[in-house]
Amino acid sequence: MGYINSVLTLGCIQAVSVLGLALFTGFTGQFSLGHAAFIGIGAYVSAILTFYYHVPFILALILGGLGSVVVSFIIGVPTLKAKLRSDYFVIAIMGFGEAVRVVLENLNITQGARGLAGIEKYSTLPVVILVLAVCCWLARSFIVSRYGWRAIAVREDPIAAEMMGINLFATKMLSLAGSAFFCGVGGALLAHFLMYIQPVMFTQVQSTQLVAAVVAGGIGSISGPVIMAIFFIALPEMLRIANMWRLVIYGLVLILIMVFRPSGLMGYHELTELGKGLFRRLKKEGS
Amino acid sequence: MLLQTLVTGLAIGGVYALMAVGYSLVFSILNFSNFAHGVIIMLGAYFGYYLCSSLGLGIGASMLGAMIGTAVISILNEKLAYRPLRLRKAVPLYFMISAMGAAMFLENMVYVTVGSHFYSYPSFFTGSISIGGAYVGLLDIVALSISTFFIILLTLFLNKTMMGTAIRAASRDMLVASTLGVNIDGLLMVVFALAGGFAGIAGVFLGVKYLVYPTMGVITNKAYIAAVIGGIGSLPGAIVGGLILGLVESFVSAYISTTLRDVFSFSMLIILLLVLPSGLFGKTLDEKL
Amino acid sequence: MLELNNVTKTFGGIKAVSGFSMKAHPGEILGLIGPNGAGKTTMFNLITGVYKPDGGTISFDGENIGGMAPHHVVEKGIARTFQNIRLFNKLTVLDNVKIAFHNKLHYQLPSAVLGLPLVGRQNKEIIKEAMTYLELVGLQDHAKRVAGSLPYGLSRRLEIARALALKPKLILLDEPAAGMNPEEIVDLKELICMVHREFALMIVLIEHRMDLIMSICPRIVVLNFGTKLAEGTPEELQNNEEVLKAYLGEDYKNA
Ligand SMILES: Nc1ncnc2c1ncn2[C@@H]1O[C@H](COP(=O)(O)OP(=O)(O)OP(=O)(O)O)[C@@H](O)[C@H]1O
Ligand SMILES: [Mg+2]
């Protein structure tokens, strides 16, 4: 029971971060190989707040998210400018991820490469599920608002979007900040689940795992990536597949999805639609 | 000290340039960031290592073998992971994801087959020579010469041969090139063989200079960073970007701090992008509507 | 009033537009014609800020808009359609039009993220308004369809509806009749005349279909090799030697 419990907790924590990348990649059509840095910032900011300053967990969680948002502007403003190829952003954020790690490894307050240990355990399964649910609600609300419309328009056709009066830079930056927030919250949850954090946890490998979950779950979907995030953490754990084989398989899955089914598990659809459809069919049969 | 730092910087910069050239070449034609490029560099380091330490080949033969090996992998990578998307005219995002999948797959295949040990090459070019009172590593000089040699060779190839002309035409406009009767599949095979081959040589140099291990990717990321500094898709940009990155790293390590080296290069990248949003030689894109 | 003065744009040595000047007046339908590659689409791209001009000025209602970012140009009251249709293909027909209203909604980010009821209410009101634009172009029955699945003619109409929903003062139409059959063209002509009247719009129309352009544009500008070849009423142009030679000579007879 304890084992399943912690696997599920870890899955839900990963899902919160994946939700962030879903916003940026799935709904805004931008790619990133550095979102692990935002998870790291959230983890460290929140852990430092609870560890050194005894800030209440809920506040630390939010401040962890906001810390990542602040950092997202440093990387986003120079690189997301309109008209620039998104590749500049992808590579800059990759280098940025490395730089963040080096900084974390060399600060006193983070206790360097050894990492920060003895963090309180606040992220229990019910807490994590609650946070995931709230985050899903926030993301969903964002997507169905005019801010979400703008993001989706940019994903579909940036030039047509501009001709609808959409500011490309502002739209991408907002999505990046939002995704950094969720990743930061995910990091904060992670720190208060594992009870220790080290800079090496937040490498490009972590970033690519986020991408894998978003792509496999489906571009333009919230529920797909969330399910995939939990699935990707839980299944290999349960099957006791070694970590490295897991990544080999993720890599292969990504290529196969791109070649055969670019829409992923539920691209452009949501689980709720399935529910509604089923409900409608049942009603029809009943009457 | 100054001269030594300069030569070290140029030498590593030359290797970065070799790495960046292949990446930029692919980008200029297919218009996406081939994130598998870094892993192919890493494979080059492994191939070279096996050839010279297990088979006892000399460094020249090992390098050639590594080049062939990475060229083949690079071509296979294109055929299996990009070609289907190409035929479907998929958007660059999908290519990037597929490339990342290939990178993940290859990197972790190394883990599960070879393991995460660190290997070191037999010693090559260990001496140093004295120039004007400064001691300069022989390896650095060899690396710089060989990088220069191959980059000149590539430039000649692109400018003086039929295939090179076709590649340059395709980098302007793939559609036009294909309507002019250029065989795109064949052309891309050459391009990926070149990119892979260059990655192979670079990998061997990295292996000789540092160590061989699966997450060498952190170093190979510098291929991408060098390309961004120079302007993605531009060959002169890749070369200049590589050299600049190498020099900055070498001077920061020598005069400021080794640990902060990467933070410095990154800050430089960001400041550069603020001033020149598309790198040194990059073009702002006027997409044809 | 739209005023272009001595506008120039080159692409790697090719002069797509050079020293071009023209004026379009409020309420006018101005035709823009010229052989393939004459620089017509480039002109639209320059006006809308997709490209920056290399020289010259572009002003709209007395304000210089040359080189302004596209989303600012849109705010000034200019909308356009594209020669190669650019719809948001994965979205529904209705959502394509809805996006045009993104700046006209009143809620801010915090209420949006929290999903407050007022967001839903305002979004709903927009649907009603968006539907009126679909009705205008006769797409009301296709509202729930995915835009990418529309046939060619309807896609062009949806693009027009989407541009109109921005409530522009000037609309730039880039070959709206391309790929349409004769009946669709007749409908299109009616549509253009109707929106021109209803919204008191200024329209600049690029078209290769001479029958269409000659019948709805009182004034036409002819472009060749990036420069203005001639300008005048359809009758004047039909008798202009230069124009006949450069352009109409081949095309007009079989049109
Ligand atoms: N982004 C670009 N990059 C390079 N050349 C361009 C670009 N856009 C346009 N051109 C060139 O500029 C010239 C004018 O093109 P433009 O599209 O404006 O012609 P057009 O009058 O719209 O032709 P058509 O009737 O075929 O649509 C052409 O030679 C074209 O190849
Ligand atoms: Mg045109």
Side-chain angles (χ1 to χ4, degrees), chain A residues 159-188:
Chain A
I159 290 173
E162 270 188 303
M163 288 318 303
M164 288 284 104
I166 293 171
N167 180 338
L168 286 188
F169 167 68
T171 304
K172 290 180 193 170
M173 189 61 238
L174 184 61
S175 286
L176 179 66
S179 73
F181 181 79
F182 287 128
C183 286
V185 170

Side-chain angles (χ1 to χ4, degrees), chain B residues 56-75:
Chain B
L57 297 182
I59 185 74
S62 305
M63 207 175 263
L64 190 69
M67 270 173 86
I68 294 170
T70 47
V72 169
I73 301 252
S74 177
I75 292 172

